[in-house]
Amino acid sequence: AETLFKHLGVGGPGEPASFSRAQTRAVELLAAKGVGAEGVRIVNGSGLYEQTRATAAALVGLLVVAEQRGPALRDTLAVGGKSGTLASRFRRGGLRGKVHAKTGTLDEVLSLAGYVETRGAERLAFAVVLNDVRPSRAAKMRAAIDRLVGRLAKLRAAP
């Protein structure tokens, strides 16, 4: 991911790629696609740095733009009750196979962003980011995120 990110920072002939140029271009690309880049700070491509910031709104905007271009991103995501980091989540309540998402877990941060299929057969993009989650509360907070996604799946029409 970091190598791909750094390729955004390729300069002119003879100029090496740079992270600072990649950071600027990444935010410019988001803005050009109509994704609100306010509150977005990308330090590198891995997302594993505390200084990297993205709002839930920006994540949803990116997911919407990606889905408009086809299922390529969605097809890379873990599937609830079936694969990856979601294999043991979303097994009940009719959610198996209906949630395609990426988990995010850092010290005191929990997140889940992706798509959920609703009862109305629509696909909703969603993102939940929780900060300052004490380790003793992480399991309860993860369960709360899952309940929220379950409620989105019960919608008959997009809000």
Side-chain angles (χ1 to χ4, degrees), residues 31-104:
K33 293 294 181 185
V35 176
E38 306 82 32
V40 174
R41 181 167 187 261
I42 303 170
V43 175
N44 68 16
S46 76
L48 297 175
Y49 287 88
E50 187 176 319
Q51 293 82 15
T52 295
R53 298 278 190 249
T55 64
L59 292 172
V60 168
L62 181 60
L63 289 165
V64 168
V65 168
E67 188 67 18
Q68 289 169 346
R69 301 179 132 248
L73 175 65
R74 181 174 23 97
D75 289 348
T76 68
L77 300 173
V79 179
K82 292 187 173 186
S83 67
T85 54
L86 298 182
S88 63
R89 294 168 72 176
F90 304 109
R91 290 180 171 176
R92 296 176 179 81
L95 293 173
R96 184 183 204 100
K98 307 265 182 173
V99 178
H100 293 73
K102 173 73 179 98
T103 60

Side-chain angles (χ1 to χ4, degrees), residues 4 10 13 27 31 40 47 60 65 74 77 84-85 104 106 111 117 133 136 141-142 153:
L4 290 173
V10 172
V27 172
V40 174
V60 168
V65 168
R74 181 174 23 97
L77 300 173
T85 54
L106 296 172
S111 65
E117 189 177 316
V133 177
S136 62
M141 295 295 97
R142 194 171 287 112

